[in-house]
Amino acid sequence: MTDIQTINQPLSQHIKADGSVTTLAEYQSNYGYQGLTKALSMSPSEVVDWVKNANLRGRGGAGFSAGLKWSFVPPLEKLPGQRYVICNADEMEPGTFKDRWLMEHDPHQLIEGLAIAAYAVQADTAFIFLRADYDLCAERLQHAIDEANAAGLLGEQLNEAGFSLTMLLHTSAGRYICGEETALINSLEGRRAQPRFKPPFPQVSGLFGRPTVVNNTETLCNLPHILYHGIDWFANLGLGDDNGTKIYGVSGRVKNPGCWELPIGTKVADIIAMAGGMQDGVKLRGFLPGGGSTDFLTEEHINLAMDYGTIQHAGSRMGTGTMILLDDQTCVVGMVLNLIQFFAQESCGWCTPCRNGLPFIRQILTDLEAGRGQHEDLEHLLQLCGYIGIGNTFCALAPGAAEPLQSALKYFRDDFVAHIDQACCPHGNSPKPLNGLKKEAIL
Amino acid sequence: MTPIIATDAATHCADWRLKIEPLNEHEETAIAAQIHHYPQPQAATIEALKIVQQQQGWVSDGKVKAIAQRLKMSPDEVDSVATFYNKIYRQPVGRTVISICDSVSCWIMGYQGLAQAVTQELNIALGETTPDGAITLLPTPCLGACDHAPVAIVDDQLTRQLTPASLILLVRRAQEQT
Ligand SMILES: Cc1cc2nc3c(=O)[nH]c(=O)nc-3n(C[C@H](O)[C@H](O)[C@H](O)COP(=O)(O)O)c2cc1C
Ligand code: SF4
Ligand code: FES
């Protein structure tokens, strides 16, 4: 057996450079499915406590404790009957590609993690809600589920208590809002993916009105290791207050964009160094720490630790942990316009601030980028950020959309002003934004 | 400055007076297998739409009616789902669909150059199909391949680190094939 102290990249230990998939035999030769075996020998509530004590925080963006979330599911004695777990593998946050990496290379790890979560909340059906475009993931996951069923790792009577589990792969048809957990549940029921009012929370009444837990892919992938190696091992992996590792990613003008598994709490600068640093001739100006719906931070912040508390304290969110870099040759107004265009297009249209506010913001930014901006536009934009902010909308999409904009206005205000004063985009982006304006034609 | 108040929601007006286009045998079996996964038939809506789309490239009004009948829904209910999702096409598309990622990392890495080159080459705008029905160009949100930006999906294949020249090459190859 491998010395557990040497396992410091548990989630990616099987990922091969050639991109090939980890087979069931390979997975099982290195304690694969033994975390599940261990869980199945414990009582479900012991598993919940185990994960709660490990303080595994959700990797889907919000950082909520997984064990705590599970503990809100009413015990089977109190609420008998069907319950569900769902793996959120929708991954449509701009700039995010970590879940794809995990699923493509090591599908059994996710299946084992999802099975552990299912056992913990006594769900007999588990869904993997996979985004539409991940064809390779779909192929490999389905194959792995079939293998696990054939090997008796999933299916009927998995332990003496008679726990059984059916696992199903559901591929979506592409819409960012499906990643929001209550919208995801609507989508899975065959409805328009509009978010649902909370409460009731999904843990009490979710899919088909039954108790439901939704966890992110990366969150679930941690479970086999936490069960097998224990809480102390997991706690020791993290550098700061948080436990475990994190899949960090970098995209933008770096030499070697990609993602890596590093101790959670690794410094921003060290993560950028993994990407080989900036391309020759370009300078870093800022970064979105965890996807398109997080606030910009600047080069002043690169020595901060990438963990939930530190990044929040600095005024942003760790989000998905996959950062997007802004360099000195990229127009920040154009970048924010691109993000807002995405959110406007992907808005589900349910509530007015988001449905109307985002296209309004897009229009102002389009005018700024085209050199038609006026100074009062900047105040107007800030006002609109409040209008679509937390508390004013039905879900977190619109407040998330406000984050890159409000922080760009704070850190890069001069860039906005330059567009107005020079009556054009100083980076030469002035003509027509090409983004998807005619897309409606096909839908 | 004129504020845009309109939504980004798709506008599509189906005509339910049109004849139902019955599901063929393959569609029937495949949809039945999917219904089996869920406690309610409605939950198989997306799968049913995808199964039909796989066969004929898009989902016509007549097929929406057929799916509705099979899943015990109204045609409007099925259509409200169909029009919600980016990857369900309610209009015919070209034999090759090119989906170019227009999200942030690809935008930073040169999306605009790609879009310009390919729309010029084909003489159509994004969202349109060439008159010969060979190619449809679609902008698409982040494909989760930002480490290979800029990217596009050409005929279900992810193509990475594109340049205008390499994309044009792919387009021409697709044109020759069809
Ligand atoms: C607009 C929107 C999109 C989201 N997209 C995703 C997503 O693609 N994947 C994901 O895991 N969580 C996404 N989330 C967060 C989920 O709602 C939910 O918090 C998460 O899946 C919970 O898993 P975790 O606790 O394991 O992180 C999204 C949230 C919002 C508001
Ligand atoms: S904030 Fe936007 S995405 Fe969320 S419910 Fe409102 S309209 Fe829909
Ligand atoms: S931004 Fe293009 S793949 Fe993510």
Side-chain angles (χ1 to χ4, degrees):
Chain A
M1 199 184 97
T2 338
D3 176 8
I4 73 162
Q5 291 313 328
T6 65
I7 299 181
N8 52 17
Q9 293 180 315
L11 273 65
S12 59
Q13 60 185 326
H14 297 131
I15 294 185
K16 290 174 272 188
D18 67 359
S20 63
V21 66
T22 305
T23 63
L24 178 58
E26 283 167 337
Y27 186 67
Q28 282 190 299
S29 71
N30 189 21
Y31 73 89
Y33 285 100
Q34 289 179 40
L36 175 60
T37 308
K38 176 155 180 192
L40 289 170
S41 72
M42 298 158 70
S43 77
S45 64
E46 279 169 352
V47 178
V48 173
D49 288 340
W50 186 284
V51 173
K52 213 196 291 184
N53 292 334
N55 194 21
L56 168 63
R57 300 181 65 175
R59 306 297 199 234
F64 194 79
S65 156
L68 194 60
K69 185 189 275 189
W70 300 351
S71 70
F72 299 146
V73 175
L76 209 52
E77 308 85 74
K78 281 207 184 131
L79 188 62
Q82 184 94 47
R83 43 199 54 213
Y84 298 99
V85 291
I86 303 171
C87 166
N88 191 342
D90 194 49
E91 190 161 70
M92 279 187 71
E93 177 75 21
T96 303
F97 46 95
K98 65 182 181 74
D99 296 340
R100 174 178 59 86
W101 193 60
L102 291 171
M103 292 184 286
E104 259 176 28
H105 296 95
D106 202 358
H108 283 289
Q109 174 171 256
L110 173 60
I111 292 169
E112 184 182 2
L114 185 55
I116 292 169
Y119 178 68
V121 301
Q122 292 288 285
D124 68 3
T125 308
F127 287 99
I128 300 175
F129 188 100
L130 183 69
R131 76 166 286 178
D133 310 283
Y134 282 2
D135 290 337
L136 187 58
C137 292
E139 192 185 304
R140 291 181 171 182
L141 280 167
Q142 191 55 60
H143 181 71
I145 292 172
D146 294 344
E147 274 183 326
N149 276 317
L153 297 161
L154 298 175
E156 303 289 317
Q157 300 286 333
L158 298 175
N159 66 358
E160 278 176 14
F163 176 71
S164 302
L165 180 63
T166 308
M167 195 173 285
L168 295 164
L169 178 68
H170 171 96
T171 57
S172 179
R175 200 71 197 264
Y176 172 60
I177 192 62
C178 293
E180 198 281 336
E181 59 182 10
T182 59
L184 185 153
I185 288 169
N186 270 337
S187 180
L188 206 46
E189 288 184 4
R191 300 171 200 281
R192 289 171 78 84
Q194 259 125 10
R196 290 180 179 177
F197 188 81
K198 293 190 272 194
F201 286 89
Q203 293 95 311
V204 177
S205 174
L207 187 62
F208 304 112
R210 302 299 311 169
T212 304
V213 161
V214 181
N215 274 126
N216 169 257
T217 303
E218 185 186 348
T219 313
L220 293 166
C221 286
N222 275 283
L223 296 171
H225 312 286
I226 294 175
L227 262 294
Y228 188 73
H229 292 314
I231 296 164
D232 292 340
W233 165 82
F234 188 66
N236 282 330
L237 286 177
L239 294 181
D241 291 343
D242 292 321
N243 296 348
T245 61
K246 179 79 192 76
I247 312 292
Y248 292 116
V250 178
S251 65
R253 287 193 216 224
V254 286
K255 292 204 177 98
N256 175 30
C259 56
W260 308 272
E261 182 179 15
L262 297 167
I264 196 162
T266 298
K267 273 198 311 198
V268 173
D270 294 342
I271 299 168
I272 297 175
M274 292 298 293
M278 301 304 288
Q279 288 179 359
D280 295 331
V282 297
K283 262 189 62 200
L284 178 71
R285 285 190 75 203
F287 61 100
L288 301 170
S293 60
T294 58
D295 284 274
F296 274 104
L297 293 176
T298 67
E299 46 170 354
E300 279 168 39
H301 298 109
I302 60 168
N303 286 317
L304 295 182
M306 268 286 267
D307 60 37
Y308 297 99
T310 312
I311 298 297
Q312 191 167 7
H313 190 72
S316 184
R317 290 187 302 121
M318 184 164 83
T320 61
T322 40
M323 39 182 145
I324 307 160
L325 306 190
L326 167 70
D327 61 85
D328 63 343
Q329 287 168 33
T330 297
C331 170
V332 64
V333 177
M335 181 170 166
V336 174
L337 169 59
N338 177 281
L339 289 163
I340 291 291
Q341 159 61 23
F342 168 84
F343 292 113
Q345 175 186 299
E346 295 298 319
S347 162
C348 83
W350 182 258
C351 62
T352 313
C354 174
R355 181 183 63 242
N356 284 0
L358 287 170
F360 202 167
I361 293 171
R362 176 179 62 195
Q363 186 61 48
I364 298 175
L365 290 171
T366 304
D367 285 342
L368 276 171
E369 191 71 336
R372 297 189 298 265
Q374 286 155 16
H375 286 281
E376 54 270 29
D377 287 345
L378 304 190
E379 283 327 299
H380 200 175
L381 283 173
L382 269 180
Q383 227 173 19
L384 283 163
C385 285
Y387 177 63
I388 64 169
I390 294 172
N392 292 339
T393 60
F394 195 61
C395 88
L397 183 142
E403 290 182 18
L405 173 58
Q406 72 199 14
S407 50
L409 285 164
K410 173 168 149 198
Y411 292 119
F412 309 114
R413 198 179 177 90
D414 289 351
D415 292 68
F416 288 78
V417 172
H419 280 72
I420 301 164
D421 289 345
Q422 299 173 28
C424 70
C425 168
H427 289 268
N429 281 342
S430 279
K432 73 231 170 243
L434 290 155
N435 295 353
L437 292 180
K438 282 215 173 177
K439 187 166 190 182
E440 286 89 311
I442 198 93
L443 289 175
Chain B
M1 191 202 71
T2 10
I4 296 182
I5 307 293
T7 77
D8 280 17
T11 44
H12 173 85
C13 211
D15 184 355
W16 302 136
R17 287 165 307 183
L18 287 176
K19 267 212 340 239
I20 195 163
E21 289 168 46
L23 300 170
N24 62 34
E25 211 181 300
H26 167 84
E27 290 165 341
E28 266 296 344
T29 347
I31 293 171
Q34 290 298 332
I35 292 175
H36 188 66
H37 289 164
Y38 306 96
Q40 294 163 9
Q42 172 168 3
T45 312
I46 290 179
E47 274 99 352
L49 289 162
K50 282 183 159 184
I51 288 164
V52 167
Q53 181 160 300
Q54 220 163 36
Q55 294 261 300
Q56 57 177 28
W58 65 293
V59 186
S60 55
D61 291 353
K63 287 284 184 188
V64 168
K65 268 179 112 169
I67 291 171
Q69 198 176 54
R70 184 68 185 80
L71 302 183
K72 302 189 168 57
M73 297 161 71
S74 75
D76 278 321
E77 270 179 303
V78 173
D79 203 24
S80 77
V81 174
T83 53
F84 192 86
Y85 296 93
N86 296 332
K87 295 288 144 90
I88 303 293
Y89 307 137
R90 286 288 277 113
Q91 286 178 36
V93 290
R95 290 180 290 278
T96 296
V97 176
I98 301 182
S99 304
I100 310 176
C101 173
D102 68 355
S103 288
V104 63
S105 305
C106 289
W107 181 84
I108 293 172
M109 301 304 284
Y111 157 76
Q112 281 179 303
L114 298 183
Q116 208 145 29
V118 74
T119 47
Q120 250 162 33
E121 166 79 11
L122 293 172
N123 203 21
I124 54 171
L126 294 169
E128 291 180 349
T129 302
T130 51
D132 61 357
I135 293 175
T136 296
L137 282 183
L138 285 180
T140 188
C142 176
L143 290 168
C146 332
D147 47 342
H148 304 292
V151 300
I153 289 183
V154 181
D155 262 339
D156 297 331
Q157 282 292 317
L158 183 70
T159 57
R160 307 155 169 210
Q161 273 115 7
L162 288 167
T163 60
S166 67
L167 181 58
I168 297 292
L169 217 65
L170 286 170
V171 168
R172 291 191 183 148
R173 208 178 301 155
Q175 277 173 317
E176 279 162 24
Q177 274 166 9
T178 53

